[in-house]
Amino acid sequence: MALLSKENKEALTNPLNLDHPILIQVLGICSALAVTSQLKPAIVMGLAVTVITAFANVIISLIRNTIPNRIRIVVQLVVVATLVTIVSQILKAFAYDVSVQLSVYVGLIITNCILMGRLEAFAMQNKPWPSFLDGVGNGLGYAMILVIVGAVREFLGRGSLLGFQIIPQSVYDFGYQNNGMMTMPAMALILVGCVIWVHRAYFYKEK
């Protein structure tokens, strides 16, 4: 089936590994540092970027042949801004507490390098279905890092995951203390660096 062709599979799976937006291309780092102090906002941010990237890719792919070259970036920004506004309003309506935690960072998805990069590099040259898969793949690749960093930071910094206490009180009674440094943005940068190091050490071993 054309929907499951080799090229389409690569468009979906490459961003999860060999062409990862954060680990390989080093894009979207800023938001990865800002919203990963806890797991819940990291998951929501990752899903938001995935949805916006996928549908922005589809829209731009559908109208790519009608966009004048000199205003293509403006058109891309308008499409992304519209989708970001819709997602922001949905979050405020159905997940207000998470929306408050994410603060201005949902709005800043508009300037996320991953989105603009995929629109320019992929959606403008490909049909809607491959563009959709590319958007989903890049969004999930981005979300994967946010979830890993958010889980580690919340667990070590607060002893919890998704707001539920994981480390029992008896452990604290023996003298264990949460690592307060994990709640600082600098630790997010260090953790992302460690993930990049492990990934490249595993997949790019010198012969």
Side-chain angles (χ1 to χ4, degrees):
M1 293 177 61
L3 294 180
L4 300 177
S5 66
K6 180 180 178 182
E7 292 77 11
N8 289 343
K9 289 180 180 179
E10 289 178 351
L12 177 63
T13 58
N14 280 356
L16 299 176
N17 185 12
L18 299 178
D19 196 25
H20 196 283
I22 292 181
L23 301 182
I24 303 301
Q25 303 176 54
V26 196
L27 300 176
I29 293 291
C30 296
S31 54
L33 307 184
V35 302
T36 54
S37 61
Q38 296 184 58
L39 181 56
K40 188 174 182 180
I43 292 174
V44 173
M45 185 68 166
L47 291 176
V49 170
T50 301
V51 170
I52 293 170
T53 306
F55 285 97
N57 267 12
V58 171
I59 294 172
I60 292 299
S61 177
L62 287 170
I63 64 175
R64 69 187 188 282
N65 293 325
T66 64
I67 303 175
N69 188 59
R70 65 183 182 278
I71 63 168
R72 70 186 189 283
I73 301 299
V74 176
V75 174
Q76 292 169 13
L77 284 172
V78 170
V79 170
V80 173
T82 302
L83 292 172
V84 167
T85 301
I86 293 172
V87 168
S88 178
Q89 294 303 312
I90 291 175
L91 286 177
K92 289 179 180 178
F94 298 102
Y96 183 75
D97 57 332
V98 179
S99 177
V100 172
Q101 283 182 289
L102 291 175
S103 183
V104 300
Y105 297 107
V106 173
L108 290 176
I109 293 175
I110 297 171
T111 60
N112 192 308
C113 300
I114 298 173
L115 271 84
M116 299 308 298
R118 299 325 298 166
L119 293 178
E120 185 71 9
F122 198 92
M124 288 293 291
Q125 284 82 38
N126 291 275
K127 295 181 179 180
W129 177 243
S131 297
F132 176 78
L133 295 178
D134 178 79
V136 171
N138 278 275
L140 291 178
Y142 168 85
M144 177 178 68
I145 300 303
L146 262 64
V147 168
I148 292 173
V149 175
V152 172
R153 291 182 69 192
E154 183 177 355
F155 179 73
L156 296 180
R158 303 171 186 268
S160 62
L161 287 175
L162 294 173
F164 297 99
Q165 194 65 33
I166 302 299
I167 300 177
Q169 184 59 42
S170 58
V171 175
Y172 292 101
D173 293 339
F174 275 106
Y176 177 81
Q177 293 185 354
N178 293 325
N179 187 343
M181 289 185 64
M182 283 293 172
T183 62
M184 301 173 63
M187 287 306 302
L189 180 61
I190 293 173
L191 288 173
V192 170
C194 290
V195 174
I196 293 175
W197 170 49
V198 171
H199 180 270
R200 294 193 178 186
Y202 183 79
F203 287 102
Y204 295 92
K205 292 180 180 179
E206 293 184 359
K207 295 183 179 180

